[in-house]
């Protein structure tokens, strides 16, 4: 039987105290996610249960029991303390999906510091703006990412420690750099876990903003109450499951469900630290006998593209619950997964700010392929009119998704940006910035975002950040960045560029600019196409009208152009 048992009954009888009771937490108690993800599971008699089965490039394997996770996180926490890192200091995790990333986050939380996970493919400028906003004290990284940090070091006087987890002694360490090897360090049996309370800050995740720099989403230790219960009721993790969350902990899914949800429910999880390849993924599922699989539409569409034939080569019969998040999961993907795996992917909707699943499909509830499902028990969600901010009653009408604030894992603010945070609330509702319809049965159907942010393969990219970076290229005079359709990634980045005199708009320049953005920001933010044009469409007041370029890419009606400069 599934953990949720019956969705409608759970909705009727819901109270977050269900989660608090299961976790043995009472209001006012100390609550430390690090302890819940390791020590508590050991105290429940599962010290020798496998917690993490890790596989890296070339099939290298590492295994950690819950006791290993407990000791290793104590060791990392103690090491950070020995450097002088204190509670509420920001400690960035800037690594591939290596065990130190998973365990490091737990260690940081144990000492009451704030974990700031960042996607390791970020280039130096993406890294800098996020570290600078948070005034990060320490960064834990691998030697392969060190060059990016060294490049921006002079601009970061607050960054006191650069901790390298795989230092090999080949080149001398520089100022502020220090080596730490989890394998060579003496395991620390006991650590004084910092007595964090419900509202103590835990994680700072950066997400893209439409008009400004990325925003630091501040979460607190009480978020566990949501993350634990949603993991149990949506992903349905049970005692003997082998769970695989394909997300990178540089993004929120990888922390909320790849670390906190996984370890706090005491499941055995596996991690594959290598890029996407259909056969490698199927092989991984077969080898580890994965039962619960949380992935993303772009990966599912890539698997569809790889064809059904290769699936027959693998025994995937262990799978029993599949879920997806991050971008619209098209109906075809749900129908396909039922055909090839005998299971439908359960779509789930949420975002960095919400900290946990808000709207979802649930084991046992009827799935309508293409729909995101219904609000999680305890979550009041609706759609509201964009002008009046009143709930929409008519069936089929499009409105803004609106959620009643107050669930445990809601962000508490944007770091140093309270004003933008306040703007996310209207008429007593939290607005995630997405549009949807609701059908007569209460199912939500995603329509699109309500801003210019680009969702490429489930990752948000700010056109503003790409445009700012483009301007730093010597040949670029002006630019406008929009999304364009893509079969697998749903959307990719496209840049319209006007160039300065003396440069030639040719393929070499296009490649040069693409590479410039890839290095500076990230491969995700790199435009997949650059169109050189003579002038950008602007309003009479000089504002670039991205809307027109966007409409052109998507073959949509251009709409009102009465304010255009060159009318
Ligand atoms: O636009 C929605 C889209 O991704 C945004 C959140 O992105 P991020 O904060 O990076 O978090 C991603 C993982 C939780 C949302 O505002 N999104 C997320 N899930 C879905 C979705 N769009 C359609 N369907 C979904 N299931």
């Amino acid at each position: 039987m599934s953990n949720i048992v019956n969705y409608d009954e759970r909705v009727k009888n819901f109270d977050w105290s269900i989660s608090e009771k299961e976790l043995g937490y009472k209001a006012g108690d100390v609550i430390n996610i690090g302890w819940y993800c390791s020590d508590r599971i050991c105290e429940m008699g599962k010290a020798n249960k496998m917690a993490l089965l890790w596989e890296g490039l070339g099939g290298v394997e590492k295994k950690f029991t819950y006791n290993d996770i407990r000791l290793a996180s104590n060791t990392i926490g103690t090491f950070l303390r020995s450097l002088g890192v204190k509670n509420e200091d920001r400690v960035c995790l800037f690594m591939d999906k290596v065990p130190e990333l998973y365990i490091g986050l737990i260690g940081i939380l144990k000492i009451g510091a704030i974990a700031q996970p960042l996607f390791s493919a970020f280039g130096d400028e993406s890294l800098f703006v996020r570290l600078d906003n948070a005034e990060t004290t320490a960064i834990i990284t691998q030697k392969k990412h060190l060059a990016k940090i060294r490049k921006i070091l002079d601009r970061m006087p607050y960054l006191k420690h650069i901790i390298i987890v795989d230092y090999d002694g080949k080149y001398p360490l520089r100022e502020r750099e220090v080596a730490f090897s989890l394998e060579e360090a003496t395991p620390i049996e006991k650590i004084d876990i910092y007595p964090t309370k419900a509202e103590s800050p835990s994680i700072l995740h950066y997400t893209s903003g439409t008009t400004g720099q990325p925003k630091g989403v501040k979460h607190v230790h009480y978020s566990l109450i949501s993350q634990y219960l949603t993991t149990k009721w949506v992903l349905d993790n049970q005692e003997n499951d082998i769970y695989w969350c394909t997300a990178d902990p540089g993004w929120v899914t990888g922390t909320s469900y790849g670390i906190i949800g996984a370890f706090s429910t005491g499941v055995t999880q596996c991690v594959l630290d290598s890029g996407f390849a259909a056969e490698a993924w199927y092989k991984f599922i077969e080898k580890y006998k994965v039962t619960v699989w949380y992935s993303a539409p772009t990966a599912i569409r890539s698997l569809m593209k790889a064809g059904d034939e290769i699936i027959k080569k693998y025994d995937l019969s262990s799978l029993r619950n599949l879920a997806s998040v991050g971008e619209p999961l098209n109906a075809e993907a749900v129908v396909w997964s039922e055909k090839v795996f005998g299971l439908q992917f359960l779509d789930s909707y949420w975002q960095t700010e919400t900290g946990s699943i808000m709207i979802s499909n649930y084991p046992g509830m009827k799935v309508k392929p293409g729909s995101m499902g219904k609000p999680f028990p305890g979550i009041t969600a609706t759609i509201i009119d964009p002008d009046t901010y009143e709930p929409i009653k008519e069936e089929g009408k499009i409105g803004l998704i609106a959620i009643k604030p107050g669930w445990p894992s809601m962000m508490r603010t944007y770091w140093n940006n309270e004003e933008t945070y306040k703007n996310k609330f209207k008429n007593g509702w939290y607005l995630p910035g997405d549009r949807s319809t609701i059908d007569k049965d209460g199912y939500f159907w995603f329509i699109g975002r309500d801003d210019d942010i680009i969702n490429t393969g489930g990752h948000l990219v700010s056109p503003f950040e790409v445009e700012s970076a483009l301007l730093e290229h010597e040949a670029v005079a002006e630019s406008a960045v929009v999304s364009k359709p893509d079969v697998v990634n749903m959307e990719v980045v496209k840049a319209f560029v006007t160039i300065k005199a003396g440069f030639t708009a040719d393929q070499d320049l296009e490649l040069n600019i693409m590479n410039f953005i890839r290095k500076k920001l990230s491969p995700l933010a790199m435009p997949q196409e650059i169109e050189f044009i003579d002038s950008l469409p602007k309003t009479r007041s000089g504002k670039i009208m991205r809307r027109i370029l966007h409409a052109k890419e998507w073959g949509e009606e251009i709409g009102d152009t009465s304010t255009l400069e060159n009318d």
Side-chain angles (χ1 to χ4, degrees):
M1 192 192 289
S2 66
N3 289 329
I4 192 164
V5 188
N6 180 312
Y7 172 76
D8 294 318
E9 287 301 312
R10 293 292 198 187
V11 170
K12 257 190 257 159
N13 304 313
F14 190 80
D15 199 287
W16 286 110
S17 64
I18 297 172
S19 181
E20 294 182 348
K21 273 196 203 119
E22 283 193 23
L23 289 163
Y25 167 81
K26 286 190 304 309
D29 283 357
V30 164
I31 175 170
N32 186 295
I33 292 176
W35 180 81
Y36 272 101
C37 287
S38 53
D39 299 59
R40 176 171 182 264
I41 307 296
C42 296
E43 286 177 20
M44 290 166 81
K46 297 184 197 172
N48 295 324
K49 181 174 176 178
M50 277 299 160
L52 178 62
L53 308 170
W54 179 87
E55 190 174 304
L57 275 178
V60 191
E61 288 177 57
K62 289 183 185 173
K63 293 183 176 165
F64 299 83
T65 63
Y66 271 96
N67 196 46
D68 294 334
I69 300 279
R70 182 182 71 81
L71 292 174
S73 55
N74 284 353
T75 311
I76 294 181
T78 305
F79 179 73
L80 288 170
R81 263 192 188 144
S82 75
L83 294 176
V85 175
K86 305 181 305 301
N87 63 303
E88 301 208 12
D89 280 350
R90 275 74 63 206
V91 180
C92 174
L93 294 151
F94 191 55
M95 284 175 272
D96 299 353
K97 290 193 274 182
V98 291
E100 286 86 346
L101 170 57
Y102 293 75
I103 300 165
L105 187 128
I106 296 174
I108 293 167
L109 297 181
K110 279 187 171 176
I111 63 164
I114 304 175
Q116 182 192 11
L118 289 177
F119 183 45
S120 63
F122 274 148
D124 53 283
E125 191 58 30
S126 290
L127 181 63
F128 172 73
V129 292
R130 289 159 177 82
L131 296 179
D132 197 51
N133 183 264
E135 294 193 293
T136 308
T137 301
I139 183 167
I140 309 180
T141 193
Q142 295 164 279
K143 58 180 188 293
K144 67 195 272 199
H145 301 300
L146 202 52
K148 295 187 267 192
I149 302 168
R150 285 180 175 175
K151 199 165 165 195
I152 52 177
L153 192 61
D154 287 350
R155 295 153 75 196
M156 302 188 295
Y158 39 80
L159 187 72
K160 297 201 189 90
H161 314 286
I162 299 152
I163 300 152
I164 304 147
V165 296
D166 56 355
Y167 179 63
D168 54 13
K170 252 198 198 155
Y171 305 100
L173 291 173
R174 294 197 191 160
E175 169 206 2
R176 301 187 238 174
E177 294 173 357
V178 53
F180 171 79
S181 158
L182 194 52
E183 268 140 36
E184 285 162 26
T186 313
I188 302 288
E189 182 56 45
K190 205 158 162 29
I191 185 171
D192 287 329
I193 293 181
Y194 192 86
T196 44
K197 293 290 187 79
E199 293 304 306
S200 306
S202 55
I203 294 184
L204 193 57
H205 257 303
Y206 276 77
T207 187
S208 297
T210 344
T211 53
Q213 291 295 355
K215 298 168 290 186
V217 176
K218 181 176 129 178
H219 284 293
V220 295
H221 282 262
Y222 192 59
S223 71
L224 171 71
I225 303 300
S226 294
Q227 287 147 349
Y228 170 84
L229 202 65
T230 47
T231 303
K232 287 200 80 167
W233 289 4
V234 178
L235 304 175
D236 200 39
N237 278 345
Q238 301 186 12
E239 185 56 38
N240 294 321
D241 275 313
I242 305 288
Y243 168 61
W244 184 27
C245 171
T246 60
D248 186 312
W251 309 102
V252 75
T253 308
T255 54
S256 289
Y257 295 101
I259 301 181
I260 304 174
F263 293 139
S264 67
T265 52
V267 78
T268 299
Q269 76 157 323
C270 46
V271 167
L272 177 61
D273 180 24
S274 64
F276 176 85
E279 289 230 30
W281 276 35
Y282 292 136
K283 210 167 162 181
F284 188 75
I285 294 172
E286 179 183 71
K287 178 170 170 190
Y288 290 93
K289 301 195 170 43
V290 173
T291 58
V292 178
W293 183 20
Y294 197 21
S295 198
T298 290
I300 301 164
R301 285 191 290 267
S302 304
L303 293 173
M304 283 172 80
K305 219 175 131 194
D308 300 359
E309 274 313 300
I310 57 167
I311 300 177
K312 296 183 187 143
K313 290 178 23 197
Y314 299 93
D315 176 6
L316 308 177
S317 59
S318 55
L319 291 171
R320 70 164 191 88
N321 190 33
L322 319 184
S324 159
V325 66
E327 23 157 3
L329 180 66
N330 35 326
E332 299 77 36
V334 179
V335 173
W336 173 80
S337 85
E338 191 171 20
K339 184 180 89 188
V340 297
F341 304 126
L343 297 161
Q344 294 169 315
F345 268 95
L346 304 178
D347 191 13
S348 65
Y349 165 89
W350 56 292
Q351 54 174 196
T352 308
E353 286 87 339
T354 70
S356 67
I357 295 167
M358 294 286 105
I359 296 170
S360 187
N361 292 279
Y362 307 88
M365 188 180 91
K366 177 181 182 279
V367 172
K368 295 191 187 187
S371 155
M372 305 194 291
K374 297 188 183 190
F376 188 78
I379 298 296
T380 307
T382 188
I383 50 169
I384 60 171
D385 184 288
D387 298 317
T388 62
Y389 301 126
E390 290 298 334
I392 291 174
K393 300 274 184 306
E394 301 97 297
E395 202 196 305
K397 201 169 163 199
I398 298 172
L400 297 176
I401 297 181
I403 311 171
K404 265 273 162 307
W407 66 95
S409 65
M410 173 58 174
M411 69 164 159
R412 296 307 197 258
T413 191
Y414 289 124
W415 196 259
N416 285 333
N417 199 347
E418 184 72 11
E419 201 186 320
T420 308
Y421 169 74
K422 284 194 182 133
N423 277 335
K424 296 289 286 187
F425 299 87
K426 297 280 185 278
N427 199 17
W429 296 98
Y430 168 70
L431 304 186
D434 291 307
R435 292 176 298 131
S436 174
T437 59
I438 305 179
D439 70 15
K440 60 177 187 349
D441 301 321
Y443 284 71
F444 284 65
W445 297 78
F446 187 81
I447 300 290
R449 286 194 62 93
D450 191 46
D451 56 25
D452 292 339
I453 295 206
I454 301 166
N455 188 333
T456 179
H459 299 299
L460 303 187
V461 171
S462 154
F464 169 85
E465 251 189 302
V466 184
E467 286 166 6
S468 307
L470 279 167
L471 289 184
E472 285 178 41
H473 188 281
E474 54 174 4
V476 176
E478 279 187 315
S479 73
V481 167
V482 295
S483 63
K484 73 167 206 171
D486 184 81
V487 192
V488 171
N489 290 290
M490 192 179 80
E491 299 184 344
V492 288
V493 176
K494 169 160 183 183
F496 290 86
V497 161
T498 65
I499 54 170
K500 290 180 186 159
F503 290 92
T504 315
D506 58 14
Q507 203 186 14
D508 281 351
L509 183 61
E510 182 181 9
L511 293 178
N512 186 291
I513 296 175
M514 285 176 172
N515 214 14
F516 178 79
I517 299 297
R518 184 179 61 79
K519 278 203 184 138
K520 213 174 178 53
L521 298 182
S522 73
L524 302 170
M526 182 183 84
Q528 299 294 313
E529 185 188 341
I530 295 178
E531 191 171 325
F532 296 108
I533 52 176
D534 295 336
S535 69
L536 296 172
K538 287 186 192 152
T539 62
R540 289 199 191 100
S541 59
K543 210 171 148 247
I544 293 171
M545 290 186 88
R546 277 198 207 115
R547 182 168 61 83
I548 293 192
L549 300 169
H550 182 273
K552 185 174 156 260
E553 290 308 311
W554 290 81
E556 291 163 356
E557 289 285 310
I558 290 183
D560 180 18
T561 57
S562 57
T563 53
L564 260 186
E565 177 193 55
N566 31 5
D567 265 0

